[in-house]
Each structure stands twice: as structure tokens, then as C-alpha cells.
Amino acid sequence: MADSDREADDQETLTDRAYRLVEELIVTLALPPETILSEQSLAARLGIGRTPIREALQRLARDGLVVILPRRGILVSQINLKTQMRLLEVRRELERLMAKGAAERAAPEESAWFATIAREMRRASDASDDMTFMRLDRQFNELVSQTARNEFASRAMGLMHGLSRRFWYQHYRESGDLPLSARLHAEVAEAIAKRDGEAAAKASDRLLDYIESFTRKTIEV
């Protein structure tokens, strides 16, 4: 994974870096819901200029992770169970479509990257390593969006990934099964790496079956 990470870092703009770092802080609840954010404090915390921070916050607002309130500031958005259930209705169909498309359209080097992500996911599963899993999940989602070669599906999924990962991180300790989730992600990545579209679609459905079950369990906790 190290070589792939280095290549990604070489291509990463300051705005991309700011977005990735702030999104991770929000998704992992280091910046909890209703936290008031400022460009200045985030710039100092991350060592990045205010302009990339401002552009990153605008992207995060489109993703639903922050709310920009004119003349009042920027708030980390709340976590809403009903919103999450509506999101999953759409996510299942898009995830299946994109997994199948990625398997059919990935270039050889992209297929190899999926195989690497699958191996790392299984290691995260064995170690119950939540932070590694979260970072791999983001990389996996970005790679699927890239290799599915469907900009409309990718844009729609981009609005869901951060919200989904944050919901998972908030609840997985009491309701989730991190090793199982990581293995199910690995199965999707492995099917894509083998360029088997039908297997990727079925693995995606199994993953979404688990995510829906997990989401419903949060109501009972």
C-alpha cells in the first residue's frame, strides 16, 4: 500500500489534503457533531493555508458533513438515523452498479491496487484495527468511483461516503462487527481485482445487507 499512497500524495493538491484531513477528523468524531469550526483554527491545526481549508469546507458542506451558516459560522452536521436509512436505499443500488462497472472497466494497475486493498482489509480485520479500516475504506471508495467510469454515479456516491463512515464510527463499538465489515469489503475488492462483475455485484449486496442490519441495530442499543 505504501507505493500507492506515495503516488497519491504526489498528485494531491493542498485542497485535496485539507479535505482529506478535515473529513477524517469529522468522520472519526475528533470533531463531533455541532462543533463550531473556523478556517483559522483548522489552518493552524493542520499546517495548511486558509484558502485550501475554505475550499475543503465548501466541499464538505456539499457532502453534508458541515453546515455553513451565513454570519454565524460553520458547524459539523448532526448524525441522523432517518437520514442514514434513506441514504442506504440509494446506496445499495449505486454500490452494486459501481462495483460491477469497476470490475469490468478497471485497468490492470487498478485491479492490482484492489487486490492490495483487499489484503490490507483482511489484515485490518484480523487486528480489529478501526483507524486502518477507515482509511482503507476511503481509499476503496475513491478507487471504485474512479474505475467505475460513471461520473454521475460517482458524484452521487461522493455525497454518501463521509456520512456513512461517520455513522459507522459512531456506532460500531456497541452495534458493529469491524472484522466482518472489513472482510466483506475485502470480498468486494477481490471480486473487482479478478474482473468478475457478477461476483462484485453479489459481494456488494452482501456488504449492504450487513450495513443495513448494523444500522437497524443502532435503534435497539
Short mmCIF file of all heavy atoms in Angstrom, two decimals, residues 125-174:
data_model
loop_
_atom_site.label_atom_id
_atom_site.label_comp_id
_atom_site.label_asym_id
_atom_site.label_seq_id
_atom_site.Cartn_x
_atom_site.Cartn_y
_atom_site.Cartn_z
N SER A 125 -9.00 -6.58 9.48
CA SER A 125 -10.00 -7.46 10.09
C SER A 125 -9.38 -8.30 11.19
O SER A 125 -9.90 -8.39 12.31
CB SER A 125 -10.62 -8.36 9.02
OG SER A 125 -11.47 -9.33 9.60
N ASP A 126 -8.24 -8.92 10.89
CA ASP A 126 -7.58 -9.79 11.86
C ASP A 126 -7.15 -9.02 13.11
O ASP A 126 -7.17 -9.56 14.23
CB ASP A 126 -6.35 -10.46 11.23
CG ASP A 126 -6.72 -11.45 10.14
OD1 ASP A 126 -7.89 -11.89 10.13
OD2 ASP A 126 -5.86 -11.78 9.31
N ALA A 127 -6.75 -7.75 12.91
CA ALA A 127 -6.25 -6.94 14.03
C ALA A 127 -7.33 -6.09 14.67
O ALA A 127 -7.08 -5.40 15.67
CB ALA A 127 -5.11 -6.04 13.54
N SER A 128 -8.56 -6.12 14.13
CA SER A 128 -9.64 -5.23 14.60
C SER A 128 -9.15 -3.78 14.68
O SER A 128 -9.39 -3.07 15.65
CB SER A 128 -10.17 -5.69 15.96
OG SER A 128 -10.81 -6.94 15.85
N ASP A 129 -8.46 -3.36 13.63
CA ASP A 129 -7.82 -2.03 13.57
C ASP A 129 -8.79 -1.05 12.93
O ASP A 129 -8.92 -0.99 11.71
CB ASP A 129 -6.52 -2.14 12.77
CG ASP A 129 -5.72 -0.85 12.76
OD1 ASP A 129 -6.29 0.21 13.03
OD2 ASP A 129 -4.51 -0.93 12.46
N ASP A 130 -9.47 -0.24 13.76
CA ASP A 130 -10.52 0.62 13.24
C ASP A 130 -9.99 1.76 12.37
O ASP A 130 -10.54 2.07 11.32
CB ASP A 130 -11.39 1.17 14.36
CG ASP A 130 -10.63 1.97 15.40
OD1 ASP A 130 -9.38 1.96 15.39
OD2 ASP A 130 -11.28 2.62 16.24
N MET A 131 -8.88 2.41 12.77
CA MET A 131 -8.37 3.53 12.00
C MET A 131 -7.84 3.08 10.64
O MET A 131 -8.08 3.73 9.62
CB MET A 131 -7.28 4.26 12.77
CG MET A 131 -7.80 5.10 13.93
SD MET A 131 -9.03 6.33 13.42
CE MET A 131 -8.07 7.35 12.32
N THR A 132 -7.14 1.96 10.61
CA THR A 132 -6.67 1.44 9.32
C THR A 132 -7.85 1.07 8.44
O THR A 132 -7.86 1.37 7.24
CB THR A 132 -5.76 0.21 9.53
OG1 THR A 132 -4.59 0.61 10.24
CG2 THR A 132 -5.35 -0.39 8.19
N PHE A 133 -8.87 0.45 9.02
CA PHE A 133 -10.07 0.12 8.26
C PHE A 133 -10.72 1.36 7.67
O PHE A 133 -11.09 1.39 6.49
CB PHE A 133 -11.07 -0.62 9.14
CG PHE A 133 -12.44 -0.73 8.52
CD1 PHE A 133 -12.66 -1.56 7.44
CD2 PHE A 133 -13.50 0.02 9.00
CE1 PHE A 133 -13.91 -1.66 6.85
CE2 PHE A 133 -14.75 -0.06 8.42
CZ PHE A 133 -14.96 -0.90 7.35
N MET A 134 -10.84 2.43 8.47
CA MET A 134 -11.49 3.65 7.99
C MET A 134 -10.71 4.25 6.82
O MET A 134 -11.30 4.70 5.84
CB MET A 134 -11.59 4.66 9.13
CG MET A 134 -12.49 4.24 10.27
SD MET A 134 -14.24 4.35 9.85
CE MET A 134 -14.48 6.11 9.93
N ARG A 135 -9.39 4.26 6.92
CA ARG A 135 -8.58 4.84 5.86
C ARG A 135 -8.64 3.98 4.59
O ARG A 135 -8.71 4.50 3.48
CB ARG A 135 -7.14 5.02 6.34
CG ARG A 135 -7.03 6.15 7.35
CD ARG A 135 -5.70 6.20 8.05
NE ARG A 135 -5.66 7.29 9.02
CZ ARG A 135 -4.84 7.36 10.05
NH1 ARG A 135 -3.98 6.38 10.26
NH2 ARG A 135 -4.87 8.40 10.86
N LEU A 136 -8.61 2.67 4.78
CA LEU A 136 -8.74 1.78 3.63
C LEU A 136 -10.11 1.90 2.98
O LEU A 136 -10.23 1.84 1.74
CB LEU A 136 -8.50 0.33 4.06
CG LEU A 136 -7.07 -0.06 4.39
CD1 LEU A 136 -7.04 -1.41 5.10
CD2 LEU A 136 -6.21 -0.11 3.13
N ASP A 137 -11.13 2.08 3.79
CA ASP A 137 -12.48 2.24 3.27
C ASP A 137 -12.56 3.47 2.37
O ASP A 137 -13.16 3.42 1.29
CB ASP A 137 -13.47 2.34 4.44
CG ASP A 137 -14.91 2.41 3.97
OD1 ASP A 137 -15.28 1.67 3.05
OD2 ASP A 137 -15.67 3.23 4.52
N ARG A 138 -11.95 4.57 2.81
CA ARG A 138 -11.94 5.79 1.98
C ARG A 138 -11.20 5.53 0.67
O ARG A 138 -11.67 5.91 -0.40
CB ARG A 138 -11.29 6.95 2.74
CG ARG A 138 -11.20 8.22 1.91
CD ARG A 138 -10.58 9.36 2.69
NE ARG A 138 -9.27 9.02 3.20
CZ ARG A 138 -8.16 9.02 2.46
NH1 ARG A 138 -8.21 9.32 1.18
NH2 ARG A 138 -7.00 8.69 2.99
N GLN A 139 -10.04 4.87 0.74
CA GLN A 139 -9.28 4.58 -0.47
C GLN A 139 -10.05 3.66 -1.40
O GLN A 139 -10.05 3.85 -2.63
CB GLN A 139 -7.93 3.95 -0.09
CG GLN A 139 -7.00 4.91 0.63
CD GLN A 139 -5.78 4.20 1.21
OE1 GLN A 139 -5.50 3.05 0.87
NE2 GLN A 139 -5.07 4.88 2.08
N PHE A 140 -10.70 2.66 -0.82
CA PHE A 140 -11.51 1.73 -1.61
C PHE A 140 -12.64 2.46 -2.32
O PHE A 140 -12.86 2.28 -3.53
CB PHE A 140 -12.08 0.65 -0.68
CG PHE A 140 -13.10 -0.25 -1.32
CD1 PHE A 140 -12.73 -1.21 -2.25
CD2 PHE A 140 -14.44 -0.13 -1.00
CE1 PHE A 140 -13.67 -2.04 -2.84
CE2 PHE A 140 -15.39 -0.96 -1.58
CZ PHE A 140 -15.01 -1.91 -2.50
N ASN A 141 -13.36 3.32 -1.60
CA ASN A 141 -14.46 4.07 -2.20
C ASN A 141 -13.98 4.96 -3.34
O ASN A 141 -14.62 5.05 -4.39
CB ASN A 141 -15.16 4.92 -1.14
CG ASN A 141 -15.92 4.09 -0.13
OD1 ASN A 141 -16.32 2.96 -0.41
ND2 ASN A 141 -16.12 4.64 1.06
N GLU A 142 -12.85 5.63 -3.12
CA GLU A 142 -12.31 6.52 -4.15
C GLU A 142 -11.90 5.72 -5.39
O GLU A 142 -12.11 6.16 -6.52
CB GLU A 142 -11.12 7.30 -3.60
CG GLU A 142 -11.53 8.35 -2.58
CD GLU A 142 -10.33 9.03 -1.92
OE1 GLU A 142 -9.18 8.58 -2.16
OE2 GLU A 142 -10.55 9.99 -1.16
N LEU A 143 -11.31 4.54 -5.18
CA LEU A 143 -10.87 3.73 -6.31
C LEU A 143 -12.06 3.18 -7.08
O LEU A 143 -12.04 3.13 -8.31
CB LEU A 143 -9.96 2.60 -5.82
CG LEU A 143 -9.27 1.77 -6.90
CD1 LEU A 143 -8.41 2.65 -7.80
CD2 LEU A 143 -8.43 0.66 -6.28
N VAL A 144 -13.10 2.75 -6.37
CA VAL A 144 -14.31 2.28 -7.06
C VAL A 144 -14.90 3.41 -7.90
O VAL A 144 -15.27 3.21 -9.07
CB VAL A 144 -15.35 1.75 -6.06
CG1 VAL A 144 -16.69 1.49 -6.76
CG2 VAL A 144 -14.87 0.47 -5.40
N SER A 145 -14.99 4.61 -7.32
CA SER A 145 -15.54 5.75 -8.06
C SER A 145 -14.72 6.04 -9.31
O SER A 145 -15.27 6.36 -10.37
CB SER A 145 -15.57 6.98 -7.16
OG SER A 145 -16.52 6.84 -6.14
N GLN A 146 -13.42 5.91 -9.20
CA GLN A 146 -12.53 6.18 -10.33
C GLN A 146 -12.67 5.12 -11.42
O GLN A 146 -12.75 5.45 -12.62
CB GLN A 146 -11.09 6.19 -9.82
CG GLN A 146 -10.01 6.26 -10.90
CD GLN A 146 -8.62 6.14 -10.30
OE1 GLN A 146 -8.32 6.76 -9.28
NE2 GLN A 146 -7.78 5.32 -10.91
N THR A 147 -12.72 3.86 -11.02
CA THR A 147 -12.67 2.78 -12.00
C THR A 147 -14.04 2.41 -12.57
O THR A 147 -14.12 1.77 -13.62
CB THR A 147 -12.04 1.52 -11.38
OG1 THR A 147 -12.72 1.19 -10.18
CG2 THR A 147 -10.57 1.75 -11.07
N ALA A 148 -15.12 2.83 -11.92
CA ALA A 148 -16.45 2.54 -12.46
C ALA A 148 -16.71 3.32 -13.74
O ALA A 148 -17.55 2.94 -14.56
CB ALA A 148 -17.53 2.86 -11.43
N ARG A 149 -15.96 4.44 -13.93
CA ARG A 149 -16.06 5.27 -15.14
C ARG A 149 -17.49 5.75 -15.40
O ARG A 149 -17.99 5.74 -16.51
CB ARG A 149 -15.56 4.50 -16.37
CG ARG A 149 -14.26 3.72 -16.19
CD ARG A 149 -13.04 4.60 -16.15
NE ARG A 149 -11.83 3.80 -16.28
CZ ARG A 149 -10.86 3.72 -15.36
NH1 ARG A 149 -10.95 4.43 -14.24
NH2 ARG A 149 -9.81 2.96 -15.55
N ASN A 150 -18.15 6.14 -14.30
CA ASN A 150 -19.50 6.69 -14.41
C ASN A 150 -19.56 7.92 -13.51
O ASN A 150 -19.76 7.80 -12.30
CB ASN A 150 -20.55 5.65 -13.99
CG ASN A 150 -21.97 6.13 -14.22
OD1 ASN A 150 -22.29 7.29 -14.01
ND2 ASN A 150 -22.84 5.22 -14.65
N GLU A 151 -19.38 9.08 -14.12
CA GLU A 151 -19.27 10.30 -13.32
C GLU A 151 -20.55 10.63 -12.56
O GLU A 151 -20.50 11.24 -11.49
CB GLU A 151 -18.86 11.49 -14.20
CG GLU A 151 -19.87 11.95 -15.23
CD GLU A 151 -19.77 11.20 -16.56
OE1 GLU A 151 -19.33 10.04 -16.56
OE2 GLU A 151 -20.16 11.78 -17.59
N PHE A 152 -21.70 10.22 -13.09
CA PHE A 152 -22.95 10.54 -12.41
C PHE A 152 -23.12 9.70 -11.14
O PHE A 152 -23.50 10.21 -10.09
CB PHE A 152 -24.13 10.31 -13.37
CG PHE A 152 -24.02 11.12 -14.63
CD1 PHE A 152 -23.65 10.53 -15.82
CD2 PHE A 152 -24.25 12.49 -14.61
CE1 PHE A 152 -23.52 11.28 -16.98
CE2 PHE A 152 -24.13 13.26 -15.76
CZ PHE A 152 -23.76 12.66 -16.95
N ALA A 153 -22.83 8.41 -11.25
CA ALA A 153 -22.88 7.55 -10.06
C ALA A 153 -21.82 7.99 -9.06
O ALA A 153 -22.07 8.00 -7.84
CB ALA A 153 -22.68 6.10 -10.47
N SER A 154 -20.64 8.36 -9.54
CA SER A 154 -19.56 8.76 -8.64
C SER A 154 -19.93 10.01 -7.85
O SER A 154 -19.65 10.10 -6.65
CB SER A 154 -18.27 9.01 -9.43
OG SER A 154 -17.81 7.80 -10.01
N ARG A 155 -20.53 10.97 -8.52
CA ARG A 155 -20.94 12.20 -7.82
C ARG A 155 -21.98 11.90 -6.75
O ARG A 155 -21.92 12.43 -5.65
CB ARG A 155 -21.51 13.21 -8.82
CG ARG A 155 -20.47 13.86 -9.72
CD ARG A 155 -21.15 14.73 -10.75
NE ARG A 155 -20.24 15.10 -11.83
CZ ARG A 155 -20.63 15.58 -12.99
NH1 ARG A 155 -21.92 15.75 -13.23
NH2 ARG A 155 -19.76 15.89 -13.91
N ALA A 156 -22.93 11.04 -7.09
CA ALA A 156 -23.97 10.70 -6.11
C ALA A 156 -23.37 9.97 -4.91
O ALA A 156 -23.69 10.27 -3.76
CB ALA A 156 -25.04 9.84 -6.78
N MET A 157 -22.46 9.02 -5.16
CA MET A 157 -21.85 8.28 -4.06
C MET A 157 -20.95 9.17 -3.22
O MET A 157 -20.82 8.98 -2.00
CB MET A 157 -21.04 7.10 -4.60
CG MET A 157 -21.88 5.90 -4.97
SD MET A 157 -22.91 5.28 -3.62
CE MET A 157 -21.71 5.03 -2.32
N GLY A 158 -20.33 10.17 -3.86
CA GLY A 158 -19.47 11.08 -3.11
C GLY A 158 -20.20 11.81 -2.00
O GLY A 158 -19.60 12.19 -0.99
N LEU A 159 -21.51 11.99 -2.17
CA LEU A 159 -22.32 12.65 -1.15
C LEU A 159 -22.64 11.74 0.03
O LEU A 159 -23.12 12.20 1.05
CB LEU A 159 -23.63 13.17 -1.77
CG LEU A 159 -23.50 14.18 -2.91
CD1 LEU A 159 -24.86 14.47 -3.52
CD2 LEU A 159 -22.84 15.46 -2.41
N MET A 160 -22.38 10.45 -0.12
CA MET A 160 -22.80 9.47 0.88
C MET A 160 -21.66 8.89 1.71
O MET A 160 -21.86 8.50 2.85
CB MET A 160 -23.54 8.31 0.21
CG MET A 160 -24.72 8.73 -0.63
SD MET A 160 -25.55 7.28 -1.36
CE MET A 160 -26.45 8.08 -2.67
N HIS A 161 -20.47 8.83 1.14
CA HIS A 161 -19.40 8.07 1.79
C HIS A 161 -19.02 8.64 3.15
O HIS A 161 -18.89 7.90 4.13
CB HIS A 161 -18.18 8.03 0.88
CG HIS A 161 -18.32 7.08 -0.25
ND1 HIS A 161 -17.75 7.29 -1.48
CD2 HIS A 161 -18.99 5.90 -0.34
CE1 HIS A 161 -18.05 6.27 -2.29
NE2 HIS A 161 -18.80 5.43 -1.63
N GLY A 162 -18.80 9.94 3.24
CA GLY A 162 -18.40 10.52 4.52
C GLY A 162 -19.46 10.33 5.59
O GLY A 162 -19.16 9.97 6.73
N LEU A 163 -20.72 10.58 5.22
CA LEU A 163 -21.82 10.40 6.18
C LEU A 163 -21.90 8.95 6.64
O LEU A 163 -22.13 8.68 7.82
CB LEU A 163 -23.14 10.83 5.54
CG LEU A 163 -23.32 12.32 5.27
CD1 LEU A 163 -24.58 12.56 4.43
CD2 LEU A 163 -23.39 13.11 6.56
N SER A 164 -21.69 8.02 5.71
CA SER A 164 -21.78 6.60 6.05
C SER A 164 -20.64 6.20 6.99
O SER A 164 -20.86 5.47 7.97
CB SER A 164 -21.74 5.75 4.78
OG SER A 164 -22.89 5.99 3.99
N ARG A 165 -19.42 6.64 6.70
CA ARG A 165 -18.29 6.26 7.55
C ARG A 165 -18.42 6.87 8.94
O ARG A 165 -18.09 6.23 9.93
CB ARG A 165 -16.96 6.70 6.91
CG ARG A 165 -16.58 5.88 5.70
CD ARG A 165 -15.08 5.94 5.41
NE ARG A 165 -14.59 7.29 5.34
CZ ARG A 165 -14.71 8.09 4.27
NH1 ARG A 165 -15.34 7.66 3.22
NH2 ARG A 165 -14.20 9.30 4.28
N ARG A 166 -18.92 8.10 9.01
CA ARG A 166 -19.09 8.72 10.33
C ARG A 166 -20.14 7.97 11.15
O ARG A 166 -19.95 7.73 12.35
CB ARG A 166 -19.48 10.19 10.20
CG ARG A 166 -19.58 10.90 11.55
CD ARG A 166 -19.85 12.37 11.43
NE ARG A 166 -21.13 12.66 10.81
CZ ARG A 166 -21.75 13.83 10.93
NH1 ARG A 166 -21.21 14.81 11.64
NH2 ARG A 166 -22.91 14.05 10.34
N PHE A 167 -21.25 7.59 10.53
CA PHE A 167 -22.29 6.83 11.24
C PHE A 167 -21.71 5.53 11.76
O PHE A 167 -21.96 5.13 12.90
CB PHE A 167 -23.47 6.57 10.30
CG PHE A 167 -24.65 5.95 10.99
CD1 PHE A 167 -25.61 6.74 11.57
CD2 PHE A 167 -24.79 4.57 11.06
CE1 PHE A 167 -26.71 6.18 12.22
CE2 PHE A 167 -25.87 3.99 11.69
CZ PHE A 167 -26.84 4.80 12.27
N TRP A 168 -20.93 4.86 10.91
CA TRP A 168 -20.29 3.60 11.33
C TRP A 168 -19.39 3.84 12.54
O TRP A 168 -19.45 3.11 13.53
CB TRP A 168 -19.49 3.02 10.18
CG TRP A 168 -18.47 2.00 10.60
CD1 TRP A 168 -17.15 2.22 10.83
CD2 TRP A 168 -18.70 0.62 10.90
NE1 TRP A 168 -16.54 1.05 11.24
CE2 TRP A 168 -17.46 0.07 11.29
CE3 TRP A 168 -19.83 -0.20 10.85
CZ2 TRP A 168 -17.32 -1.27 11.64
CZ3 TRP A 168 -19.68 -1.52 11.20
CH2 TRP A 168 -18.45 -2.05 11.59
N TYR A 169 -18.56 4.87 12.47
CA TYR A 169 -17.58 5.10 13.53
C TYR A 169 -18.27 5.43 14.86
O TYR A 169 -17.81 5.04 15.92
CB TYR A 169 -16.62 6.23 13.15
CG TYR A 169 -15.37 6.26 13.98
CD1 TYR A 169 -14.28 5.47 13.64
CD2 TYR A 169 -15.27 7.05 15.12
CE1 TYR A 169 -13.12 5.47 14.41
CE2 TYR A 169 -14.12 7.06 15.89
CZ TYR A 169 -13.05 6.27 15.53
OH TYR A 169 -11.92 6.27 16.30
N GLN A 170 -19.40 6.12 14.77
CA GLN A 170 -20.12 6.48 15.99
C GLN A 170 -20.69 5.25 16.69
O GLN A 170 -20.71 5.17 17.93
CB GLN A 170 -21.27 7.45 15.69
CG GLN A 170 -22.02 7.89 16.96
CD GLN A 170 -23.30 8.63 16.65
OE1 GLN A 170 -24.02 8.27 15.72
NE2 GLN A 170 -23.59 9.65 17.42
N HIS A 171 -21.14 4.26 15.91
CA HIS A 171 -21.93 3.16 16.49
C HIS A 171 -21.26 1.79 16.49
O HIS A 171 -21.78 0.87 17.13
CB HIS A 171 -23.26 3.03 15.75
CG HIS A 171 -24.18 4.20 15.94
ND1 HIS A 171 -24.83 4.45 17.12
CD2 HIS A 171 -24.54 5.20 15.09
CE1 HIS A 171 -25.57 5.54 17.00
NE2 HIS A 171 -25.41 6.01 15.78
N TYR A 172 -20.12 1.63 15.80
CA TYR A 172 -19.65 0.26 15.59
C TYR A 172 -19.23 -0.42 16.89
O TYR A 172 -19.32 -1.65 17.00
CB TYR A 172 -18.50 0.22 14.58
CG TYR A 172 -17.12 0.47 15.14
CD1 TYR A 172 -16.34 -0.58 15.64
CD2 TYR A 172 -16.59 1.75 15.19
CE1 TYR A 172 -15.08 -0.35 16.16
CE2 TYR A 172 -15.33 1.98 15.71
CZ TYR A 172 -14.58 0.93 16.19
OH TYR A 172 -13.34 1.16 16.71
N ARG A 173 -18.80 0.34 17.90
CA ARG A 173 -18.34 -0.30 19.13
C ARG A 173 -19.47 -1.02 19.86
O ARG A 173 -19.25 -2.07 20.47
CB ARG A 173 -17.69 0.73 20.05
CG ARG A 173 -16.34 1.24 19.54
CD ARG A 173 -15.73 2.27 20.47
NE ARG A 173 -14.44 2.74 20.00
CZ ARG A 173 -14.28 3.70 19.10
NH1 ARG A 173 -15.35 4.31 18.57
NH2 ARG A 173 -13.08 4.07 18.71
N GLU A 174 -20.69 -0.46 19.80
CA GLU A 174 -21.79 -1.13 20.50
C GLU A 174 -22.62 -2.01 19.58
O GLU A 174 -23.28 -2.95 20.05
CB GLU A 174 -22.70 -0.09 21.20
CG GLU A 174 -23.52 0.80 20.26
CD GLU A 174 -22.83 2.12 19.94
OE1 GLU A 174 -21.61 2.22 20.15
OE2 GLU A 174 -23.52 3.03 19.49
#
